[in-house]
């Protein structure tokens, strides 16, 4: 068994912006209503969150009071900002101190870029539900986003460090809707080892099942990890051929996050009733859907619009693929011959004895 990969994640933002609330909703199964009893974070709260069995997120939830932030930027600067994989910075869209908030963010971004130049930076502009009625076009969010991108560009120009490649990304969020899941899924997606390998296997499984898409969810948080075909957060115009032919453009763009929110809520209801959620399968007039465990740490959803496809066939293919998905996702050395997808993947981080011999067929190769 391989040693779990560890990624340091900073969660920062001014006091009251909603950092701890969103962390509790995602990782501790809180409902939005439950977060009302949470108090302010004092200094730094560290927690280790195991994700997919082989990835550990060292989550540093940093208090946002001015005294703490000043301390992070002075005496604790090297400790806080070294070896960071991702900075998640949360703003309150209703704040009346935007100029001051922006200056604090610029100082923090500068400290991060100096100490962890390769870190990803994700800005969540939170509490959007409080202004959406008066600003349905989200003009205020767009203005805030433009300001943040200017700050990011200014820091880059001042440091002139060529190792800084990650561009700041910005999401509108609220703990009261699926936007929170979309933002956190996009963040976690970038931290998962072998993500391209996972995607290629999901695409192979999708095509084998005559399906529109195959989607992978993490079992505890129910965040979306990866999907078949096109990238997880791609524009609808960038779908692959199978997705276009099967009508994926017409699907709800927020479907994954809505499913995450619904299933996680249903799992909590099951837990209160001392029941366990196992999965879902259904055949409708225009599609067939299953949502089943794939490995110990993941669920897979497969959606097919082919009227010939039965749920039993989808379940069979999922069960047949699960052992291999467990193997390549958790180990550096395989016990059996690689499959064709694994063999030709350039990002492969594990090996198997004799696999360099092309005369030995992959285990899924149809050759005799």
């Amino acid at each position: 068994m391989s040693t779990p990969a560890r990624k340091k994640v900073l969660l920062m933002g001014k006091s009251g912006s909603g950092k701890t609330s969103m962390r509790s909703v995602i990782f501790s199964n809180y409902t939005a209503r439950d977060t009302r009893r949470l108090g302010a974070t004092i200094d730094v709260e560290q927690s280790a969150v195991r994700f997919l069995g082989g990835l550990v997120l060292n989550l540093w939830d940093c208090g946002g009071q001015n005294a703490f932030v000043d301390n992070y930027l002075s005496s604790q600067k090297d400790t806080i900002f070294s070896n960071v994989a991702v900075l998640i910075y949360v703003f309150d869209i209703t704040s009346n101190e935007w100029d001051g908030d922006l200056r604090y963010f610029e100082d923090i971004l500068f400290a991060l870029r100096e100490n962890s130049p390769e870190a990803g930076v994700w800005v969540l502009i939170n509490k959007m539900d409080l202004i959406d009625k008066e600003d349905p076009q989200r003009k205020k969010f767009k203005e805030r986003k433009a300001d943040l991108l200017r700050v990011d560009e200014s820091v880059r120009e001042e440091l002139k460090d060529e190792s800084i490649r990650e561009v700041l990304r910005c999401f509108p969020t609220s703990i009261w809707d699926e936007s929170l899941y979309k933002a956190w899924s996009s963040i976690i997606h970038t931290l998962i080892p072998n993500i391209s390998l996972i995607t290629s296997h999901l695409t192979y499984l999708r095509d084998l099942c005559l399906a529109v898409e195959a989607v992978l969810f993490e079992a505890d948080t129910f965040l979306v990890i990866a999907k078949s075909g096109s990238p997880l957060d791609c524009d609808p115009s960038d779908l692959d051929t199978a997705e276009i032919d099967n009508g994926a453009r017409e699907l709800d763009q927020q479907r994954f996050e809505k499913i995450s929110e619904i299933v996680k809520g249903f799992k909590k209801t099951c837990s209160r009733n001392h029941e366990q959620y196992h999965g879902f399968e259904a055949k409708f007039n225009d599609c067939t859907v299953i949502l089943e465990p794939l490995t110990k740490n993941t669920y897979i959803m497969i959606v097919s619009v082919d009227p010939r496809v039965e749920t039993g066939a989808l379940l069979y293919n999922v069960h047949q693929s699960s052992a291999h998905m467990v193997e390549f996702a958790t180990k550096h050395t395989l016990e059996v011959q690689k499959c064709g997808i694994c063999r030709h993947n350039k990002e492969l981080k594990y090996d198997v004895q004799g696999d360099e011999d092309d005369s030995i067929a992959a285990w899924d190769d149809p050759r005799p």
Side-chain angles (χ1 to χ4, degrees), residues 248-262:
R249 280 179 177 165
E250 284 71 51
L251 297 176
D252 188 338
Q253 295 301 303
Q254 305 295 326
R255 61 193 179 278
F256 305 142
E257 295 75 38
K258 289 179 179 178
I259 290 168
S260 295
E261 189 176 30
I262 291 168

Side-chain angles (χ1 to χ4, degrees), residues 110-130:
F110 199 93
L112 176 78
R113 296 301 195 192
E114 279 188 313
N115 290 273
S116 300
E118 296 183 0
V121 180
W122 301 75
V123 175
L124 308 185
I125 299 184
N126 199 33
K127 303 186 182 182
M128 292 298 299
D129 57 288
L130 298 179

Side-chain angles (χ1 to χ4, degrees), residues 6-10 55-58 80-88 112-113 115-122 166 187 190-192:
R6 290 185 173 270
K7 303 285 187 178
K8 181 178 176 181
V9 178
L10 289 184
L55 173 64
V56 176
L57 305 181
N58 284 336
I80 296 291
F81 295 103
S82 295
N83 303 311
V84 176
V86 166
L87 165 66
I88 304 170
L112 176 78
R113 296 301 195 192
N115 290 273
S116 300
E118 296 183 0
V121 180
W122 301 75
E166 292 293 334
I187 296 166
T190 65
L191 298 175
I192 297 171

Side-chain angles (χ1 to χ4, degrees), residues 161-313:
D161 188 340
E162 294 183 0
S163 63
I164 301 175
R165 299 185 182 91
E166 292 293 334
V167 177
L168 177 150
R169 298 190 62 183
C170 194
F171 278 89
T173 60
S174 168
I175 63 172
W176 296 94
D177 61 31
E178 65 277 357
S179 61
L180 188 63
Y181 289 91
K182 181 176 181 61
W184 279 83
S185 289
S186 298
I187 296 166
I188 298 299
H189 175 84
T190 65
L191 298 175
I192 297 171
N194 288 331
I195 192 65
S196 64
L197 196 58
I198 293 172
T199 299
S200 60
H201 280 75
L202 289 175
T203 304
Y204 179 83
L205 183 58
R206 176 201 67 182
D207 296 342
L208 185 69
C209 293
L210 304 178
V212 180
E213 60 189 10
V215 187
L216 201 64
F217 297 87
E218 201 272 336
D220 290 329
T221 62
F222 238 82
L223 292 174
V224 183
I225 297 168
K227 63 179 285 293
S228 57
S230 55
L232 185 61
D233 56 355
C234 77
D235 187 90
S237 61
D238 295 329
L239 302 180
D240 73 2
T241 302
E243 291 168 318
I244 293 171
D245 292 345
N246 288 306
R249 280 179 177 165
E250 284 71 51
L251 297 176
D252 188 338
Q253 295 301 303
Q254 305 295 326
R255 61 193 179 278
F256 305 142
E257 295 75 38
K258 289 179 179 178
I259 290 168
S260 295
E261 189 176 30
I262 291 168
V263 172
K264 198 169 180 183
F266 184 67
K267 286 179 68 179
K268 190 169 184 178
T269 300
C270 290
S271 179
R272 284 200 301 264
N273 294 322
H274 306 290
E275 300 287 349
Q276 187 173 359
Y277 175 80
H278 293 288
F280 170 84
E281 58 183 83
K283 190 171 180 67
F284 304 101
N285 291 334
D286 54 356
C287 68
T288 303
V289 182
I290 66 166
L291 181 60
E292 286 287 310
L294 180 64
T295 69
K296 180 180 178 182
N297 303 105
T298 62
Y299 278 76
I300 188 169
M301 181 181 72
I302 298 181
V303 180
S304 174
V305 294
D306 193 312
R308 299 168 295 174
V309 172
E310 300 290 340
T311 57

Side-chain angles (χ1 to χ4, degrees), residues 10-20 22 40-43 60-70 72 80-81 87-92 95 98 100-102 104-105 108-109 122-126:
L10 289 184
L11 180 58
M12 306 188 80
K14 297 301 288 293
S15 181
S17 60
K19 305 182 304 299
T20 305
M22 61 174 60
T41 301
I42 304 302
D43 203 4
W60 293 38
D61 185 353
C62 303
Q65 292 89 340
N66 290 350
F68 294 144
V69 177
D70 292 340
Y72 305 151
I80 296 291
F81 295 103
L87 165 66
I88 304 170
Y89 199 93
V90 184
F91 284 97
D92 180 350
S95 173
W98 176 246
D101 295 346
L102 205 59
Y104 260 122
F105 174 69
I108 286 171
L109 187 59
W122 301 75
V123 175
L124 308 185
I125 299 184
N126 199 33

